[in-house]
Amino acid sequence: MSRISQPDPELNHRLTRRGMLGVAAGATAAAVLGAAATPATAATGTADKTSGRGRPVLPPGRLGIQLYSLRDKVSTLGFAPVFAELEKYGYDEVEFAGYTQGSAGPITLAQLKRLARDHGLNPIGSHVGYYSDDPNAYTFAQNLTKVLDDAQALGLKHIGTASGPFRYGSTVDAWKRAAEEFNTYGAAAKARGMKFYQHNHSEEFSFATDNPKVRLYDVLLKETDPDLVFLEMDIYWAYSGQFRFSKRPDGTPAPFEPLNYVLRQPHRYPLFHVKDGVSDPANTYGYRMTDVGDGDIDYQKFISAVTRLRGERLAHHWQAEHDQPAESFTFARRSSAYLHSLREKC
């Protein structure tokens, strides 16, 4: 059951807008993505967002938020007031982007863990740097043991990085080398009962500089051990990657559908970033980021497609995020209200 206490006052307007956009966008999306669509994708359909009936699209207990979206509030107010607000908004989980409070004062990992649990929030994961030239840096490459010690102290089940595997360049061999390191981190995390994961941006979907027929993301999937290395798909950045890299450098078509990556290997995607954007072909990235529910990414379809897979409804965690929200508490509240409102067809 949702812990959300009160519907967003603007929600009906937003749902109506999304429904209208869906009608207009459907034909365009089909034309652009038809070549990449699979039967599994086509079978998901689009549910009625405004009926208020049917099973919730969002699985119970699985809505989180990436605390990077609330970094301004954490640094000025501290974790306690932020967690109190998230509890009111109906969040179940938090994903960390650092364990300090900035100017709000120091806090220990034990205090942070207890504080989250006191507000009904499950610490589900954290982002840590991949590597640094500084040997003392808090990264997987430089201080793996410390990174895992801290994650274990917080009771995290996932520990990952939002850094792309570009440490050695953008060639196939460079990504194979990075994949070997990721396998090492994954094995170390698994030994402690955790999953190591990598969070994408759009550049991961670009092509190898030494073989432009090869998509780098495919190298990462192929060269990492599926039992050791997992993925947190940032859905916004994946669709940005679709916009940017549906053609190879020579202009030949190379369409792909982000959802299909998940449907083919759902066990590799325990975490997702739910981030929205308004389509804007004039923008380098194809979208302008906005609050979840105000953009053009069809989360009704995406979340339903994943959670309808046999045995997968409770196997994933959905973290709302916005890199630069106009007002971070407002973003958190409205995004939760929208996602909780989505219903599948009866």
Side-chain angles (χ1 to χ4, degrees), residues 4 24 30 85 135-136 143 160 166 187 199 205 249 258 271 315 324 344:
I4 193 164
E85 288 297 304
N136 298 313
N143 277 292
F166 292 96
H199 162 286
F205 297 94
L271 305 171
Q324 299 286 344
E344 294 180 353

Side-chain angles (χ1 to χ4, degrees), residues 18 31 33 50 97 103 113 139 149 160 183 186 213 222 295 319:
R18 289 301 297 261
L33 303 178
T50 60
S103 61
K113 178 181 179 180
T139 63
D149 284 347
N183 285 332
K213 292 183 178 180
K222 181 180 179 181
Q319 315 295 308

Side-chain angles (χ1 to χ4, degrees), residues 119-136:
H119 288 285
L121 298 169
N122 179 32
I124 193 64
S126 180
H127 285 186
V128 177
Y130 168 19
Y131 69 93
S132 172
D133 293 332
D134 178 0
N136 298 313

Side-chain angles (χ1 to χ4, degrees), residues 73-74 77-87 101 104 107 112 115-116 119 121 329:
K73 297 296 193 293
V74 172
L77 303 176
F79 281 109
V82 171
F83 288 172
E85 288 297 304
L86 295 178
E87 182 180 19
Q101 298 187 115
I107 188 170
L112 186 55
L115 187 61
H119 288 285
L121 298 169
F329 277 155

Side-chain angles (χ1 to χ4, degrees), residues 261-329:
Y261 276 107
V262 182
L263 298 182
R264 286 192 290 263
Q265 299 187 71
H267 67 285
R268 296 207 72 178
Y269 294 88
L271 305 171
F272 292 91
H273 272 190
V274 180
K275 185 186 299 180
D276 213 344
V278 175
S279 179
D280 181 4
N283 186 296
T284 300
Y285 297 101
Y287 293 88
R288 288 179 286 105
M289 203 174 294
T290 189
D291 293 353
V292 180
D294 284 345
D296 298 322
I297 296 176
D298 191 345
Y299 279 111
Q300 180 90 33
K301 173 183 175 182
F302 196 104
I303 299 175
S304 292
V306 176
T307 58
R308 286 176 185 169
L309 296 172
R310 183 183 297 273
E312 297 294 330
R313 180 156 175 81
L314 296 176
H316 307 275
H317 304 266
W318 306 87
Q319 315 295 308
E321 188 186 32
H322 192 314
D323 291 357
Q324 299 286 344
E327 207 293 314
S328 55
F329 277 155

Side-chain angles (χ1 to χ4, degrees), residues 326-342:
E327 207 293 314
S328 55
F329 277 155
T330 301
F331 154 74
R333 174 178 55 81
R334 297 176 79 240
S335 297
S336 173
Y338 176 76
L339 290 167
H340 278 106
S341 75
L342 298 179

Side-chain angles (χ1 to χ4, degrees), residues 37-332:
T38 66
T41 306
T44 61
T46 301
D48 180 357
K49 299 183 180 67
T50 60
S51 68
R53 297 175 294 175
R55 183 176 70 166
V57 168
L58 189 72
R62 290 297 185 270
L63 178 62
I65 191 165
Q66 166 52 254
L67 291 172
Y68 181 77
S69 304
L70 297 158
R71 59 195 181 278
D72 62 323
K73 297 296 193 293
V74 172
S75 66
T76 56
L77 303 176
F79 281 109
V82 171
F83 288 172
E85 288 297 304
L86 295 178
E87 182 180 19
K88 287 195 301 183
Y89 302 158
Y91 284 93
D92 309 295
E93 302 174 336
V94 288
E95 183 184 32
F96 290 100
Y99 311 132
T100 63
Q101 298 187 115
S103 61
I107 188 170
T108 68
L109 295 178
Q111 290 171 331
L112 186 55
K113 178 181 179 180
R114 183 169 58 252
L115 187 61
R117 296 303 173 97
D118 286 347
H119 288 285
L121 298 169
N122 179 32
I124 193 64
S126 180
H127 285 186
V128 177
Y130 168 19
Y131 69 93
S132 172
D133 293 332
D134 178 0
N136 298 313
Y138 190 77
T139 63
F140 282 95
Q142 277 65 46
N143 277 292
L144 178 61
T145 299
K146 174 61 174 171
V147 167
L148 297 181
D149 284 347
D150 290 349
Q152 201 164 24
L154 279 167
L156 301 182
K157 295 300 183 184
H158 308 84
I159 181 69
T161 184
S163 301
F166 292 96
R167 181 178 187 180
Y168 305 107
S170 299
T171 65
V172 172
D173 285 342
W175 275 51
K176 287 183 177 180
R177 188 176 175 186
E180 289 179 6
E181 294 183 341
F182 281 14
N183 285 332
T184 299
Y185 309 150
K190 184 177 182 179
R192 300 193 187 211
M194 294 180 283
K195 292 180 178 180
F196 169 79
Y197 63 96
Q198 193 268 343
H199 162 286
N200 65 276
H201 293 85
S202 61
E203 288 78 9
E204 281 87 336
F205 297 94
S206 62
F207 299 94
T209 53
D210 61 332
N211 188 346
K213 292 183 178 180
V214 176
R215 194 180 302 280
L216 289 171
Y217 196 70
D218 295 336
V219 177
L220 177 65
L221 285 170
K222 181 180 179 181
E223 298 297 330
T224 50
D225 186 329
D227 292 325
L228 300 178
V229 177
F230 299 86
L231 292 309
E232 176 179 60
M233 179 174 281
D234 185 303
I235 300 168
Y236 170 92
W237 286 121
Y239 279 102
S240 172
Q242 179 194 67
F243 171 83
R244 297 179 66 194
F245 304 113
S246 283
K247 291 183 179 179
R248 298 184 181 88
D250 65 1
T252 58
F256 73 95
E257 166 54 47
L259 176 57
N260 289 345
Y261 276 107
V262 182
L263 298 182
R264 286 192 290 263
Q265 299 187 71
H267 67 285
R268 296 207 72 178
Y269 294 88
L271 305 171
F272 292 91
H273 272 190
V274 180
K275 185 186 299 180
D276 213 344
V278 175
S279 179
D280 181 4
N283 186 296
T284 300
Y285 297 101
Y287 293 88
R288 288 179 286 105
M289 203 174 294
T290 189
D291 293 353
V292 180
D294 284 345
D296 298 322
I297 296 176
D298 191 345
Y299 279 111
Q300 180 90 33
K301 173 183 175 182
F302 196 104
I303 299 175
S304 292
V306 176
T307 58
R308 286 176 185 169
L309 296 172
R310 183 183 297 273
E312 297 294 330
R313 180 156 175 81
L314 296 176
H316 307 275
H317 304 266
W318 306 87
Q319 315 295 308
E321 188 186 32
H322 192 314
D323 291 357
Q324 299 286 344
E327 207 293 314
S328 55
F329 277 155
T330 301
F331 154 74

